[in-house]
Every structure is written in C-alpha cells, then in structure tokens.
Amino acid sequence: MVLALILYIVLRNGIHVPSIQFGKVKLEQFYLKLDNKFLLELGSLDISALLKPHPHKKPPPINQIVQGIRSAIIGLGYFKRIDLKEIVFTPKIKARVRFDGANFAISLPGWVESRMLLQDQGDLHLKILKLHVIPYRIHASGDVFYHVKSNKLDFYLRALPMLDISRMNLRASNLIASIKGQTDFKNLSLSLSTNEFHHLDFLKPYIPHKFKATRTWIFDRVQFSSLQIKEAHIGFSLKTKHALPSILERLRVRALVKEARVHFNPLLPPILSKEVWLELKNKNLYMEPKNIFYDGMALEGSRVQIDHLEKNQKLKAQIKIAPNTAYKRVKNLLKGYDIPLPIQDLQSKISADLLLNVQFRHQAHALLSMQGTIQVQQGSFLLYNTPLFSQNTQITLDIQPDLHRLYIQTQHTRYLNIADVDANITLDFTHKRLSSQAKIHKLQFNTNNTINTSPFDPNRSMPAQVPQHPLDLDSLGALIAKGTRSKAFEKKILEQIQSQNQETFSQDVIYATPKNLPTLSFSLDFSKPNILKIKSQQLQLEAQMAQKTYVLQIRDLSKIAPISPLLRYFAVYQGAVQISTQDFKRFNFVSSNLGIDLPLYRHDGGRLSSFAFLGTIQGDMAEIFSLDGSVMAKIQGGERMIFLKNIDFNLDEFLNSKMPAIKELLTFKQHTQPTLEQARNEEIFIRAKQRYEKRHQITPDATIINATNSVLTFKTLPLIFDSVRLVARDGRVKADAMYDRAMVNLDIVHANLHLKASNFSGDYINMALQGITSKNLIEGGLYTLAGTYQDNAFNGQLTFQNTVVKNFKVLQNVINVINTIPSLIAFRNPRLGVNGYEILKGRVIFGGNDDFIGIEKVQLTGATLDVDGSGIINLKSRKIDAVLNVSTIKAISNIINKIPIVNYLILGGDGKISTHVHLRGSLDNPTAKITLAKDIAQAPFRILRRIFTPIDIIVEEIKKGLKSHDYPRLSEESELHNP
C-alpha cells in the first residue's frame, strides 16, 4: 500500500528521465505525469536496432500484430495527452505522434499524415479526420469503433486518390471508395464500393514504368465513359501466419464499365461495348460484355478472362461473331496477329468462336495465342487470287507463340467448271507450308477454255454444238451458176471460213471422279521469300513459282494417264514433261521418254516407242522439235505443219490404229456419197475458197505433213519414198509421194481413199515385194496403180507394160502344164518360158481386204503367151483359186484364113486357140490343171488326125503371124502418167 502511494506521488509530480535504454530501445527526454490520466512526453524513441532484420528471427504472426493494435487502442483510454516528438525507425525514417485525449495525430514524413478524434461513448470511437498514406497516394477519412463487450472492431472509411495532378500531368479523378470492415481480432471482413469514375490515371503512380505491357494495356488499350465497383468483399483469418498471400484468393469484386473501348491491337479498331461487367474471384478477372461490337460486327457472347493476377497474368478473350458478311474485318483482325488468311472477296456470311490468350511477361513482350473456329457459309471467294465457290467452309485456328496453324475444311469447293472437291487443308505459318487432302467429286480441265469457264456442271461437260454451215451440195450448182465472184458465192465462202474458225479442239486434259481418283493429296511450300513450291507425290507432279519464273514438272505421265483423256486420246502412256513460263504468254516445254503408240519405225525396223521433244507455245503459235531432229512441228492458228525425217510409216497399222485421235481422224461425218456432178461442184467451191484465203492472207485450217526419206508400209508391202507431202484441209486429205521419177497421188474425200501410183519400175516392185519373197519377180517395165479404198477394202486397177515376170511359181506351173500337152507342143512358141514371161501390156482389175484379194479380170498380152482370167486369193491361208484362159497359138489366124473348115472347127469365134487352166492350192506352189473350153476342146485332137497336112505350112504361117501385129487386148491410149 505504501509502495503504491509512493508511486502515485511520484507520478503526480512527474517523472523526467534525460536518457534511458531498455535493451535495443533507447529513450531521450522521457517525461511521464499522472493527472487523472497519464501525460506522456518523449523527445525521442529509437527502435531502429529493434527493427533490424535477423536471419534467424521470424516476423511476428499476424495475430500478435492485431493483439498489439488491440492493446494500443485500449491503452489510449488511460492517457490524457501523448506527445512523441520523434520515433526513429531508421536513421532516415522518423515519425511524430500526438494525442490530446481526443485528437490523435500521426506524422511520418513521406509516409503517413493523419488526424483522428477519439471519442468515448461507452465503446471506443476513433474518428479519422485525415489519413494520408503518402507512398500509396491515398487520402482517407472515416470512423473506427471498438466494442468492448463484444471485443469487435468496426470501421467505415472514405478513400480517394491523393495526386499531384499538375506535377504528374494527370487528369483529375473523381474516384471515391467506400470501405467497410469488421474484425473480432480473429477474422477480418472487408467490403468496398465506389462511385462512377471515368479513367484510370490515378493508377499510373502505382505501376512502375518497367511494367510496360501492363501500363500499355491499362492506360492505352482500355478506355471507358465510366467505371464503378458495385461491390468488393474479402474475408480471411488473422490467425494465419501468411495472411497477405491469401488476400487475392479470397477477394471478390464486381464492377460495371460503361461505353468500353478496348484495343487488343493498336493496328486494329477497338472492341466496343455498351456495358461490361467485371468480376474478380479466385485470382481471376472475368469480363462479360453486353452489346459488344467490333468494327460493326456483333460479338455477342464474347467474354474476357485474366488468370493468375498475382503473377504470370494471362488474359483470355472469347470472341464470338454472329453470322454476317464482314469477312474483311475478320481478315484484318487476324492479320493484326500475323495470321494472313490467303482469302479475298469473300461474299458469304461468316461466324466465329475464337479464344484469344495473352500471356503477360515481366519486362518482355506478351505472348499471344488464339484458338477457335471460323464458319463460312455458302458463297464465293478468292484463294490466292483464284476464284472459288464453297458450300461450307470451316477454318480452325491453332495459333501458339511458337506455332501458327490453320486447318481448313471445305465441302463442295468449286473452281469454275474445273473442280469440285471436299478439301482438308493444313496451313502451317510457322514453317510456311500447306498440305491438303482432297476428296474428289469432279476434276475436269479441257483444252477448250470455253468448257473450263462455263457455269459449273456436276456432270462431265461436253463442248457446245457450234452452228455449222455445211455445203448444200444440191444447191451448190445454182450458187456456182451465179458466178464464183458473185456476192452470194463469196458470202458462202465466208460462212465456211467462220464455221471452221469456230471449231475448237476439245479434249479433257484431266477428268477425275470418285471412281478413278477418290482423293488427291498435295503440299505447298512458301518458306522461302518469293518462292512457291507445289508438290503432289501421288501424281508425281511438282510446280515452282520463283522470281517471275513458273515451272511445272510431271515426272511420270503414267500416274496422270488414268485421269487424262488427252493422254489416252494420243495414246501416251509414259514419259515426263517440264513446262516453264515467265509471263504466261510464252511457254517452253521439254519432254522425255514419251511413250506414244504410233505406227512409226526406224529404218532398221525398230519401232519408235519413245520420244523426246522440246518446244515453245506462244498465243496461237507453237513449235515442237524432237531432240534427234527427226520430228518438227509448227502450229500457227489453225494451220499445223509437221516435218518427219528418216522415219518409216506403217499405213496398215495407221488405218487399224486404236489410238482415239487416229480413229477420229479416219471417221467422216458424211457417209452419203455425192453424185459426180455434186462432187465436181464441191471441188469448184473448195478451190475457190482456198484461193480466197490465199488472196486475203487468211491462215487456213489445215494439217500439213512433210516427210523425207521414208518407207510407207501398205498391205505388208514396204513402199520407199524420197518425199511425202500430206495436206488435210476442207474435209479432205491430199497426199503426194515421190520416188525417183515415180509418183503417188492420194485423195481422201467423203470417206473414200482415191489412189494413183504412176511410173513405178520393176525394180521398185521387186523392192516392195521383199516382204513376200526374196526373189526378184519382175524385170523392167513401168507400172501404174489406180484405185479406191473404202470400208477397209481396196478396189483398183493395175496396168503395166514392157516387163518380164520371172521366178513366179504360179506362172511357171501354168507353163509346165502346157508343156505336158502333146497336142499344144506343136503350136507353142519356142521362146515361151526361156527367160521368163514377157508381157507387152497388162491389166489387172481387183479388190481386196485384210482377208482376200479378188481378181475380177486379168488381161495379159505377152510376146509368147496371152492370159485372161479371174480368181481369188485367201491371204490368211495363202491359197489361190483361179481360172485362166491361156493362148499359146497366137499366129494361127493367118493359117485359119487359108483353111476355113479347120478355122471353124478349131478356133470357133474368137480367132485363137486357148487353154483353160484351173489354179488351186497353195499360193507358193499351186496346182495347175487343163480344162478345154467347150467350143475348142476338140481342136487339138482334130488337127492331129490330119497328119497328112504339111506341118511346115502351119509352122510357117505361125512364124508369119509372129511378125504381124496382134489384135489389141488393151486400150491403145496410154494410161501411164509420167511425172
């Protein structure tokens, strides 16, 4: 009791201590006095040593700090005045605290300036008149209540930013935040709301410049008319040792932004929204916009999310685009993120559901990624400037920081009338490659571009019927009667020329369907600047576009042939082709190992089955050359000229060729044969038309083939020519061939082949017959052949003169059988068969096809023997069946004139003694039998009965008859043509 009284007296008088130190706490000018309540004055309180960090000393737990604050609030009720002139935290950080029993002021220069009023209303009430938290530039005021009975603390604060606007060059802020809190010193609950404020400039001082990406997004990319935090709430336990890290996990915020403008990319227009609701929970920020638009496109349903706000922030923006026709805006949106869609002029509606991710990094550029789909409805567009149409297209984006890819799936994508496919495309912008797998509905590319550019047809498109103006042969005579220089005649010529000019070669270069090409795969490489490479391993095809040079390589035509009617049309079954151009006007090409089924041979008999060509195509002109110089061709407009050198041609194989091009060439549309007058009028018109074309320098529609040093094989007979010229023009073919002085003229008109071969020597005939026999059958003479080939049959006439037939088994057998008849021996010419059969004049009328040769008439006038007859030869079995009338007594007429009775009995009415020979059997060695005609059958025997008749008189008459002229059997007028 005494001690307490002494202590009271001491405190009543006051205690003054100049300097005192308790451990690491040092006090200067300490004064404490009791006047109902305590008065405390302290010149200096140095706790800097106490606050020095210790490596092994842990910071006090949060509950200990809270308990200290609680004790301090309770302790204030025992003081009437407190004046702590200096509290030293560090040598540079010092504070001052003053309390007069009601007003409480704390001054921490550069940190905190505050004025508070402590009221005692049963409970402690601390009214905060001014609280400046200087480092955080916050001004606050409000009330703090401590309820003694419940041991709870409530506070209500009104906070706003405290900024030096003029010095910081900031806009004034009207932000006011209302903060409510409650704690029982075990748990703490806080809630916050704000008024509407109009910008975020007040945050600039709080975000260091080193966080460039964050500052850019908050201050440059985001604008709004107003923002209001509707509610924010957090609650956490004060008993937790590490409460601060858990704040963000427990914080819940809901705010409203009006008239928002967000620039996700400075190169793009902003995204606009009337309202955006912001919600912060679980350390993630969610943004739900209402009435959202981008460049006029509705993005309703889009949303933004920022994850992991405490570190490694990540923004997620879900962008939804309702179906619209604003493709250009979508394209520009993707282009802003280095996603260059190669599509232009998209006319169809599109919709999109995209997810944009932005990964923020400290002091580094943000990482962007985008996933999602773009749905394109039916419409047309340009892909790499190529016009396309698609019923449906889906573009899937997979854009990662280290990988940019697009996946494009289309249905019934069509290119003109050329292609209809379902495409499955992968575009890799990282490695700059494209790969595609296409399901084929139709691929058709025709030599006639009118078909390619016509409206799409799901079926195979055929060339349109071009109006024709065929010659009306019935009325042509009346037209010619008006004169070949009349206007009506010239009008008809112009009609024919225009009709021919309208005719276009139409053949599918490619025609593919699901049956012959179910799928097609190819790849595209654009990894090198200004170089584009296209490759299809499936078709052995490669293309390259580089520095205005375009090259197409087809390495194996056999891969293309199954889907190329053009190759099949020309019977091309293998080979390789390279085509190049720089301006798509002039094309150069090289081909190698072209396998073409043509009836062409080398002189050694080897078939030409492989060709190599090079050439140029420019406009309507083309030049083609074989590497060995044996083939050259020039095409100018409708005129096609082909030059062949040292190449043999098999006409038999040509006429029976299965190549569609040749079969079409040999198929004539008109089968009705004109009359002689109609044919003559047609010839007059065609000649006049050709003169008109020449006079007006009109390039004719013609095919011209010139061949030198060639062998033409016809009916297995090799025919050698120095030169051959064939012209196909105006629906007819004319060919001329020469060998030495011999000439062949061939015309094909109205499906008929007319042939005339003149001035051929016996040596040439022997050479032609080498395929049949190795012996020379002919010696000397001149031969002329004229005939017509139609419906796989040849009908003609062979005339010849002054020739000798040798080594001919058929003839030899006839002579042998004559020599076996004693009654004819006396009348036989001694020269018969000595040096062959000498023919002065001869004529053979025959017809033949692949199976038979029918000899309608044989007329041979020889020096020793005349032959008349007919027969048939089976070419397949090589057998002959012929009947010949052979005359061996040619001078008997002189005798008969002197012996009238014998003349009647022996010769009958023809004036000759003849033998009827029947040839049958093998063509190589036929059997010859004698059969006498009815009217002369007994003649030889009757003559023999009159043995008394002087034989020498008859012989002399025969000798005299040999000196006189025989009666002509052939026309006296020469049928030979000497070129």
Side-chain angles (χ1 to χ4, degrees):
M1 187 67 179
V2 175
L3 182 61
L5 182 61
I6 296 172
L7 180 60
Y8 171 77
I9 295 171
V10 171
L11 292 174
R12 181 79 177 175
N13 294 324
I15 301 172
H16 181 268
V17 179
S19 178
I20 190 173
Q21 184 168 349
F22 300 99
K24 295 182 178 181
V25 178
K26 184 178 180 181
L27 288 77
E28 300 285 345
Q29 299 299 321
F30 175 81
Y31 176 74
L32 178 65
K33 183 179 178 181
L34 178 63
D35 185 7
N36 294 328
K37 291 185 178 182
F38 290 104
L39 286 90
L40 175 63
E41 293 182 3
L42 186 61
S44 175
L45 174 62
D46 188 349
I47 58 175
S48 58
L50 184 66
L51 297 177
K52 285 183 179 181
H54 192 279
H56 302 292
K57 184 178 181 180
K58 296 181 179 180
I62 187 68
N63 59 342
Q64 185 177 338
I65 296 174
V66 170
Q67 187 62 40
I69 295 174
R70 174 188 174 190
S71 300
I73 293 174
I74 295 174
L76 285 175
Y78 295 98
F79 285 88
K80 182 178 181 180
R81 186 176 77 238
I82 299 175
D83 187 5
L84 304 179
K85 293 182 172 57
E86 183 181 71
I87 301 175
V88 181
F89 298 101
T90 68
K92 293 183 178 180
I93 300 176
K94 299 176 181 180
R96 182 174 182 178
V97 176
R98 289 179 297 166
F99 177 64
D100 60 3
N103 295 300
F104 188 74
I106 299 174
S107 177
L108 180 61
W111 287 87
V112 176
E113 294 288 340
S114 65
R115 287 177 54 248
M116 291 170 279
L117 177 63
L118 184 64
Q119 298 178 349
D120 190 354
Q121 300 176 350
D123 293 329
L124 291 177
H125 176 201
L126 181 64
K127 189 173 186 63
I128 302 175
L129 303 175
K130 181 184 74 171
L131 175 61
H132 290 171
V133 184
I134 298 173
Y136 299 102
R137 297 177 175 86
I138 296 175
H139 170 77
S141 61
D143 299 279
V144 178
F145 297 94
Y146 175 68
H147 307 283
V148 178
K149 292 183 179 180
S150 61
N151 193 31
K152 291 183 178 179
L153 182 72
D154 296 331
F155 55 90
Y156 305 92
L157 300 177
R158 183 173 179 268
L160 62 153
M162 183 183 65
L163 304 173
D164 188 345
I165 296 174
S166 59
R167 184 176 66 85
M168 295 182 178
N169 194 24
L170 301 175
R171 290 174 291 176
S173 175
N174 66 329
L175 170 64
I176 300 175
S178 298
I179 305 171
K180 295 190 297 182
Q182 187 180 66
T183 180
D184 60 0
F185 301 100
K186 296 178 182 179
N187 298 292
L188 174 64
S189 175
L190 297 174
S191 61
L192 177 146
S193 64
T194 69
N195 63 336
E196 290 187 350
F197 53 96
H198 308 295
H199 57 81
L200 299 176
D201 280 13
F202 67 90
L203 293 177
K204 287 183 177 180
Y206 304 105
I207 303 175
H209 286 279
K210 64 181 180 179
F211 298 106
K212 185 176 180 180
T214 304
R215 290 179 63 90
T216 298
W217 270 93
I218 293 178
F219 305 122
D220 297 335
R221 302 282 181 87
V222 178
Q223 290 92 36
F224 49 83
S225 65
S226 67
L227 187 154
Q228 182 181 14
I229 298 176
K230 293 292 187 177
E231 58 178 338
H233 177 76
I234 186 173
F236 57 91
S237 173
L238 296 178
K239 295 181 178 181
T240 305
K241 294 182 179 180
H242 305 287
L244 291 178
S246 67
I247 291 178
L248 204 54
E249 293 181 359
R250 299 174 180 275
L251 181 62
R252 302 287 186 272
V253 180
R254 185 169 174 80
L256 176 63
V257 181
K258 295 182 179 180
E259 302 295 339
R261 298 168 58 90
V262 180
H263 288 264
F264 281 95
N265 190 306
L267 302 176
L268 301 175
I271 293 178
L272 307 177
S273 181
K274 289 289 185 181
E275 291 184 352
V276 180
W277 282 96
L278 306 179
E279 184 176 4
L280 175 65
K281 60 182 179 179
N282 301 325
K283 298 189 291 185
N284 300 328
L285 176 63
Y286 303 93
M287 307 178 194
E288 297 283 350
K290 306 293 181 182
N291 297 322
I292 182 171
F293 293 88
Y294 169 75
D295 202 12
M297 294 187 302
L299 305 180
E300 206 63 36
S302 302
R303 63 198 304 269
V304 179
Q305 177 179 336
I306 300 178
D307 297 338
H308 312 300
L309 286 178
E310 83 280 12
K311 61 179 179 178
N312 300 323
Q313 293 91 348
K314 185 176 183 179
L315 180 146
K316 295 180 180 179
Q318 186 174 7
I319 303 172
K320 291 190 176 183
I321 302 174
N324 65 88
T325 57
Y327 167 73
K328 186 176 181 180
R329 299 161 187 166
V330 176
K331 180 183 177 182
N332 290 336
L333 170 64
L334 297 177
K335 186 178 180 181
Y337 296 99
D338 295 325
I339 308 172
L341 286 181
I343 299 175
Q344 300 87 33
D345 296 343
L346 183 63
Q347 302 300 323
S348 55
K349 289 186 176 182
I350 67 168
S351 59
D353 188 353
L354 306 176
L355 180 62
L356 174 67
N357 291 287
V358 182
Q359 179 68 62
F360 297 104
R361 298 187 299 170
H362 180 59
Q363 294 185 337
H365 293 291
L367 300 178
L368 285 88
S369 62
M370 181 178 289
Q371 287 81 34
T373 59
I374 299 174
Q375 198 75 30
V376 184
Q377 298 180 10
Q378 178 175 302
S380 59
F381 57 95
L382 294 177
L383 176 63
Y384 290 111
N385 295 318
T386 301
L388 298 175
F389 169 89
S390 184
Q391 286 188 357
N392 183 49
T393 301
Q394 179 175 291
I395 303 173
T396 303
L397 288 78
D398 185 12
I399 310 301
Q400 305 290 344
D402 57 347
L403 184 66
H404 289 191
R405 281 184 179 173
L406 292 182
Y407 302 94
I408 303 175
Q409 291 181 318
T410 71
Q411 293 180 349
H412 287 287
T413 298
R414 296 168 184 165
Y415 171 55
L416 301 178
N417 192 33
I418 295 175
D420 181 13
V421 302
D422 294 345
N424 193 340
I425 301 171
T426 299
L427 263 170
D428 187 343
F429 290 101
T430 303
H431 302 98
K432 299 187 183 303
R433 284 183 171 84
L434 178 150
S435 60
S436 175
Q437 180 82 14
K439 177 184 177 183
I440 304 300
H441 296 291
K442 172 187 173 181
L443 283 179
Q444 181 180 10
F445 180 71
N446 198 279
T447 56
N448 184 354
N449 201 46
T450 302
I451 294 177
N452 300 329
T453 57
S454 62
F456 177 77
D457 184 351
N459 300 312
R460 188 173 189 177
S461 301
M462 305 305 293
Q465 294 296 324
V466 178
Q468 300 293 320
H469 300 279
L471 285 174
D472 184 358
L473 299 183
D474 293 330
S475 62
L476 198 56
L479 188 64
I480 293 175
K482 295 179 181 180
T484 57
R485 295 185 180 274
S486 65
K487 290 185 178 179
F489 193 87
E490 186 172 313
K491 180 181 178 182
K492 189 62 178 177
I493 289 177
L494 289 173
E495 285 180 357
Q496 287 296 112
I497 293 175
Q498 291 172 358
S499 176
Q500 289 178 346
N501 290 339
Q502 288 177 349
E503 294 179 0
T504 303
F505 175 68
S506 298
Q507 191 61 245
D508 288 333
V509 179
I510 295 292
Y511 182 69
T513 65
K515 292 183 178 180
N516 61 2
L517 188 68
T519 60
L520 174 62
S521 59
F522 66 90
S523 62
L524 188 149
D525 185 344
F526 51 98
S527 58
K528 297 181 180 179
N530 303 319
I531 298 178
L532 185 65
K533 294 181 179 181
I534 304 172
K535 184 176 182 180
S536 174
Q537 188 69 28
Q538 181 180 357
L539 298 181
Q540 289 291 292
L541 181 149
E542 292 185 17
Q544 178 172 301
M545 291 175 278
Q547 297 179 351
K548 297 184 178 180
T549 299
Y550 307 90
V551 180
L552 171 65
Q553 287 184 323
I554 304 175
R555 299 187 180 277
D556 188 354
L557 288 175
S558 66
K559 302 292 185 181
I560 305 287
I563 61 171
S564 177
L566 181 67
L567 293 181
R568 298 196 299 272
Y569 181 77
F570 289 109
V572 179
Y573 56 88
Q574 69 177 30
V577 177
Q578 176 176 301
I579 304 171
S580 62
T581 183
Q582 291 185 335
D583 53 11
F584 287 96
K585 295 179 180 179
R586 177 186 175 92
F587 296 85
N588 300 317
F589 66 89
V590 178
S591 63
S592 60
N593 194 30
L594 283 182
I596 308 176
D597 190 11
L598 289 172
L600 301 179
Y601 294 83
R602 302 183 186 89
H603 286 337
D604 61 5
R607 191 184 186 99
L608 283 173
S609 58
S610 179
F611 298 85
F613 294 104
L614 58 85
T616 301
I617 300 174
Q618 185 170 8
D620 63 349
M621 188 274 292
E623 293 181 343
I624 304 170
F625 306 90
S626 65
L627 298 184
D628 60 0
S630 61
V631 180
M632 293 184 292
K634 181 177 181 180
I635 301 173
Q636 183 75 52
E639 187 177 59
R640 299 160 291 276
M641 299 184 67
I642 302 172
F643 302 89
L644 305 176
K645 183 179 179 182
N646 300 325
I647 291 181
D648 298 344
F649 185 82
N650 191 307
L651 183 59
D652 298 324
E653 294 180 4
F654 178 79
L655 296 174
N656 296 306
S657 175
K658 299 186 184 305
M659 180 190 293
I662 296 177
K663 292 175 68 174
E664 183 179 299
L665 180 65
L666 298 176
T667 301
F668 294 86
K669 298 179 182 178
Q670 182 176 352
H671 295 285
T672 303
Q673 297 299 316
T675 64
L676 183 61
E677 181 181 359
Q678 288 175 335
R680 187 182 300 111
N681 291 337
E682 183 184 35
E683 184 68 23
I684 292 173
F685 179 84
I686 289 176
R687 289 182 181 275
K689 172 181 172 292
Q690 293 178 358
R691 287 194 301 269
Y692 182 92
E693 290 173 333
K694 183 177 181 181
R695 186 167 61 251
H696 292 86
Q697 297 182 344
I698 299 174
T699 301
D701 186 353
T703 299
I704 302 170
I705 300 176
N706 291 288
T708 58
N709 191 22
S710 297
V711 176
L712 177 68
T713 301
F714 180 62
K715 296 302 178 183
T716 71
L717 301 179
L719 308 175
I720 301 175
F721 296 105
D722 296 326
S723 64
V724 178
R725 178 179 173 84
L726 181 146
V727 178
R729 182 178 178 184
D730 293 315
R732 54 190 60 196
V733 177
K734 293 181 179 292
D736 299 308
M738 294 186 64
Y739 178 79
D740 197 11
R741 293 182 302 163
M743 175 174 285
V744 174
N745 305 111
L746 182 146
D747 292 345
I748 301 178
V749 182
H750 297 295
N752 297 328
L753 183 151
H754 305 288
L755 172 68
K756 185 174 183 181
S758 307
N759 257 21
F760 283 88
S761 67
D763 291 338
Y764 189 92
I765 300 299
N766 286 327
M767 185 167 51
L769 295 175
Q770 290 300 309
I772 298 176
T773 178
S774 60
K775 298 178 180 180
N776 290 332
L777 302 180
I778 305 297
E779 183 179 300
L782 289 176
Y783 292 79
T784 296
L785 174 66
T788 298
Y789 185 85
Q790 182 181 11
D791 297 330
N792 202 32
F794 184 82
N795 296 284
Q797 174 179 277
L798 174 66
T799 60
F800 44 91
Q801 61 184 3
N802 301 325
T803 187
V804 177
V805 178
K806 296 181 176 183
N807 302 317
F808 189 31
K809 198 68 176 178
V810 173
L811 180 61
Q812 190 63 46
N813 287 356
V814 172
I815 295 173
N816 291 339
V817 78
I818 292 174
N819 289 334
T820 62
I821 303 174
S823 60
L824 295 179
I825 295 175
F827 301 102
R828 183 175 65 86
N829 192 304
R831 294 183 297 166
L832 178 61
V834 176
N835 293 311
Y837 175 43
E838 210 176 309
I839 300 175
L840 302 178
K841 292 181 180 180
R843 180 175 68 169
V844 180
I845 299 174
F846 65 96
N849 56 23
D850 292 336
D851 300 323
F852 299 95
I853 295 178
I855 303 173
E856 183 178 330
K857 180 176 285 189
V858 175
Q859 288 183 334
L860 304 178
T861 301
T864 59
L865 192 72
D866 290 350
V867 178
D868 290 290
S870 60
I872 188 168
I873 299 174
N874 190 319
L875 296 176
K876 291 188 175 180
S877 63
R878 294 185 60 81
K879 290 185 178 182
I880 184 170
D881 190 348
V883 177
L884 304 177
N885 289 322
V886 181
S887 298
T888 58
I889 308 176
K890 300 190 60 180
I892 198 66
S893 59
N894 294 330
I895 301 173
I896 295 305
N897 290 332
K898 300 175 181 179
I899 312 175
I901 297 177
V902 176
N903 179 48
Y904 171 77
L905 295 174
I906 300 176
L907 300 177
D910 62 356
K912 289 186 180 182
I913 298 177
S914 300
T915 302
H916 193 183
V917 180
H918 190 186
L919 288 172
R920 297 189 68 180
S922 170
L923 185 62
D924 297 325
N925 189 15
T927 301
K929 292 183 179 181
I930 298 299
T931 302
L932 296 179
K934 183 178 181 182
D935 57 344
I936 63 171
Q938 303 299 321
F941 302 99
R942 290 176 181 178
I943 294 174
L944 291 175
R945 288 193 192 102
R946 302 192 184 266
I947 297 174
F948 56 89
T949 305
I951 191 75
D952 56 340
I953 296 176
I954 299 176
V955 173
E956 287 298 324
E957 290 299 325
I958 293 175
K959 290 181 179 179
K960 291 180 181 180
L962 291 175
K963 297 178 181 179
S964 63
H965 294 288
D966 294 329
Y967 293 118
R969 298 175 65 251
L970 300 175
S971 174
E972 292 286 348
E973 185 176 342
S974 174
E975 297 182 7
L976 299 178
H977 172 67
N978 189 338

